[in-house]
Amino acid sequence: MIEVKNVTLEYGTSEGKVLAVDNASFSAKESEFLCLVGPSGCGKTTLLNMIAGFFPPTQGEIRVHGQAVNGQGLDRGIVFQDFAQLFPWRTALGNVAFGLEMKGVAKSERERIALEQLRLVKLEKFAGSFPHHLSGGMQQRVAIARALAYNPGVLLMDEPFAALDALTRDEMQRLLAEVWRATRKTVIYVTHNVAEAVYLADRVIVMTPHPGRIRAEVPVRLPRPRDPLSVEFLEHQKMLLRHLTQKEEGPS
Amino acid sequence: MKAAVSITLSLILYEAVARSGWFAQALVPTLPTIARTLWAMLADGTMARHAANTLWRVFAGLALAAVTGLVLGFLMARYRPVERFFMPLVSALMPIPSLAWAPVFILWFGLGNTATVLVVFYAASFPMVINTWTGARAVNPLWLRAAGAMGASGASMFWKVVVPGASPFIITGLRLAFQRAWIAVVGAEMLAASDFGLGWVIFDAKEFLNADIMLASLAVIGAIGYAFERLVFGSLERGTVLRWGMVRTAKA
């Protein structure tokens, strides 16, 4: 359960104050898959980083499981876009076990759990490989396993597949949908890709830039696994695109 | 293969000059003469004793420099006041040749090991400080964020993320420090050591016009330096940063 209430983030630059996020409010239910969609500069990543606790909002409040967010916490796992997020000096298994190691879980136990997580993302055969021997898609799967390993209730994902080729991205989306079904985490997923949002989300929050504002909330009530070529799927895409391209007049 | 060719050609050229009769045999001894001297010094253990003295001094100075450099480098990277205080000192002291300190150290501490080790320490400290400081600042911020989200902080963040993250720079720093230390120790022994050490042997041999002893000692100095560079630091790199893909081998 995540609540974002009237969150505003303002920061100063040499040209004056910039409103990165303007009065954003939304919430995510337990086990809900929520996508934040918008063009670059709409504040979606900034919003995610505030939920992660990397910095506090200028105004407003964020609560995770009823607790006000105050810095980073083990109740939230995070996956970034950049493949370089993995620790190159640790094997895939060592990376996935990191959070458990910080928690003080015994070595054999954390390796067992880490291996289980790698199996979930279909990488158990590569447990002993160093990240630089893995492809981009595999590295992102390790990153997902790493964020899940210490069992946070919430998974925060910042365009994790944006740097992958289209085929690998489709495969990753299918895998993530499976992982989500298996783990029932609450997911907040940031993307600029409308089709990706319709494929993955229970609900899509549409954001527009300058200043970063929530424009619309669109529920996606299509049965899973979703068919990206179905009429309903394409209609949802069109609806999101309409919200994204609409000029500034009253929110829908 | 290339190395063997270039070394052999240089030796042949030297031998030709030595046999040409242009210079006195005593000043430019032939290779067999040098080899005989080297063999004799190896056989009766004098060379080993001198080399052991030199190695002891170099490692004492290098160990001090490594500890000082690592501690100071990490502190400078972490705390601005430390950086502001030490950076001007480092910048001012670094350009002073370590050998220029030898007479001062002799004046303060007398002839012997203390002065020699201090010269080595002075020479080796700066590459350690600068590289550790740069390495700590070059640690990918994404690693820090990911580790922070997984509960790392303080000591665990330092030992499990910052140190390995900075390791390519630190290993290069150690390599440079050893090179500078090895150069410095021979020079320092000429001025400050008494009775033992490879530098002292060379300087002492000058008194008796023993060019063969000088050249034999130079060969040993080169060989030990080469062995450390290739075997010790080469394997250190292969076992860590190269294996982790944090640095790459050059293309063939």
Side-chain angles (χ1 to χ4, degrees):
Chain A
M1 173 76 173
I2 299 167
E3 293 157 284
V4 174
K5 273 190 227 148
N6 308 106
V7 164
T8 294
L9 185 85
E10 212 175 27
Y11 59 89
T13 67
S14 48
E15 279 108 57
K17 285 192 169 166
V18 173
L19 200 53
V21 177
D22 182 20
N23 197 23
S25 296
F26 65 86
S27 65
K29 291 189 285 287
E30 202 69 48
S31 299
E32 190 177 22
F33 200 121
L34 199 71
C35 272
L36 297 180
V37 177
S40 48
C42 74
K44 56 192 192 298
T45 293
T46 310
L47 208 42
L48 192 82
N49 284 339
M50 287 189 284
I51 299 171
F54 294 142
F55 45 82
T58 320
Q59 274 168 47
E61 192 185 31
I62 300 170
R63 286 177 173 275
V64 174
H65 301 123
Q67 289 236 312
V69 166
N70 179 23
Q72 304 171 344
L74 287 172
D75 52 345
R76 287 151 284 156
I78 183 150
V79 179
F80 303 98
Q81 178 184 335
D82 197 335
F83 305 156
Q85 66 191 293
L86 295 180
F87 306 130
W89 56 89
R90 283 176 169 246
T91 60
L93 192 77
N95 266 281
V96 177
F98 189 90
L100 297 161
E101 200 175 317
M102 294 302 110
K103 260 184 162 178
V105 177
K107 192 169 196 289
S108 59
E109 177 67 0
R110 65 178 186 247
E111 284 184 353
R112 187 187 62 74
I113 297 172
L115 204 61
E116 212 170 84
Q117 296 302 321
L118 282 173
R119 195 169 297 125
L120 192 68
V121 294
K122 302 184 168 64
L123 280 178
E124 70 271 25
K125 281 196 201 111
F126 296 90
S129 301
F130 285 100
H132 73 118
H133 286 133
L134 303 175
S135 70
M138 290 158 98
Q139 291 185 41
Q140 292 307 77
R141 274 142 74 189
V142 174
I144 292 169
R146 184 173 76 170
L148 290 172
Y150 50 94
N151 201 23
V154 176
L155 189 56
L156 306 172
M157 308 183 83
D158 187 7
E159 307 206 41
F161 308 142
L164 297 171
D165 64 86
L167 285 174
T168 311
R169 188 162 58 229
D170 290 350
E171 205 184 302
M172 291 295 117
Q173 288 165 6
R174 274 197 298 278
L175 183 88
L176 178 63
E178 271 175 45
V179 167
W180 173 69
R181 202 173 48 231
T183 60
R184 304 307 297 174
K185 302 289 178 197
T186 309
V187 180
I188 298 194
Y189 188 105
V190 163
T191 181
H192 60 258
N193 184 327
V194 166
E196 185 168 66
V198 177
Y199 185 81
L200 291 168
D202 288 321
R203 198 148 48 94
V204 181
I205 309 256
V206 181
M207 296 185 71
T208 49
H210 316 302
R213 267 188 193 143
I214 292 179
R215 168 58 63 86
E217 274 191 40
V218 179
V220 184
R221 293 197 185 90
L222 301 174
R224 289 186 168 92
R226 290 171 180 166
D227 175 7
L229 297 177
S230 70
V231 177
E232 296 85 354
F233 194 99
L234 297 172
E235 272 170 0
H236 276 86
Q237 279 196 53
K238 277 189 211 155
M239 196 196 310
L240 291 180
L241 283 171
R242 236 185 351 260
H243 285 305
L244 281 166
T245 49
Q246 227 170 43
K247 287 286 153 267
E248 188 81 27
E249 66 229 325
S252 68
Chain B
M1 214 47 223
K2 288 267 170 60
V5 170
S6 53
I7 290 171
T8 310
L9 277 176
S10 315
L11 289 177
I12 290 172
L13 191 68
Y14 174 87
E15 188 67 7
V17 171
R19 286 174 187 272
S20 65
W22 298 338
F23 308 101
Q25 273 301 293
L27 298 182
V28 188
T30 59
L31 290 175
T33 315
I34 299 171
R36 263 195 305 279
T37 306
L38 180 57
W39 179 247
M41 291 177 80
L42 286 171
D44 69 4
T46 48
M47 193 60 97
R49 206 157 64 238
H50 290 303
N53 269 277
T54 302
L55 280 171
W56 181 87
R57 289 171 184 137
V58 99
F59 282 109
L62 193 62
L64 281 175
V67 171
T68 313
L70 285 168
V71 171
L72 196 56
F74 279 124
L75 287 176
M76 280 166 59
R78 177 70 181 76
Y79 301 105
R80 281 304 292 277
V82 180
E83 186 183 51
R84 284 212 198 99
F85 182 82
F86 281 103
M87 209 47 217
L89 292 178
V90 169
S91 304
L93 294 175
M94 192 162 51
I96 302 175
S98 54
L99 269 185
W101 284 99
V104 181
F105 292 152
I106 293 169
L107 208 61
W108 290 346
F109 304 103
L111 288 176
N113 285 336
T114 312
T116 315
V117 168
L118 277 175
V119 170
V120 173
F121 165 73
Y122 192 92
S125 291
F126 296 104
M128 276 318 291
V129 173
I130 295 282
N131 275 52
T132 307
W133 173 61
T134 307
R137 289 178 307 147
V139 169
N140 188 341
L142 216 47
W143 298 336
L144 301 174
R145 272 198 169 180
M150 289 186 281
S153 65
S156 58
M157 183 69 95
F158 177 74
W159 291 108
K160 290 179 190 281
V161 182
V162 177
V163 172
S167 58
F169 284 88
I170 293 174
I171 289 173
T172 305
L174 262 177
R175 252 180 141 141
L176 294 171
F178 175 79
Q179 286 306 321
R180 297 186 72 179
W182 193 234
I183 292 167
V185 75
V186 174
E189 283 178 341
M190 291 185 176
L191 300 174
S194 43
D195 299 344
F196 286 110
L198 295 167
W200 178 83
V201 171
I202 294 174
F203 213 63
D204 188 55
K206 185 193 69 168
E207 304 292 316
F208 307 99
L209 286 180
N210 284 332
D212 52 339
I213 293 181
M214 293 176 173
L215 289 164
S217 306
L218 283 176
V220 171
I221 290 168
I224 295 176
Y226 182 89
F228 269 96
E229 168 59 25
R230 296 301 286 258
L231 300 178
V232 177
F233 294 103
S235 0
L236 184 61
E237 193 178 81
R238 274 192 302 280
T240 56
V241 289
L242 252 171
R243 179 155 171 258
W244 303 332
M246 294 175 81
V247 298
R248 285 170 294 278
T249 40
K251 291 231 165 61

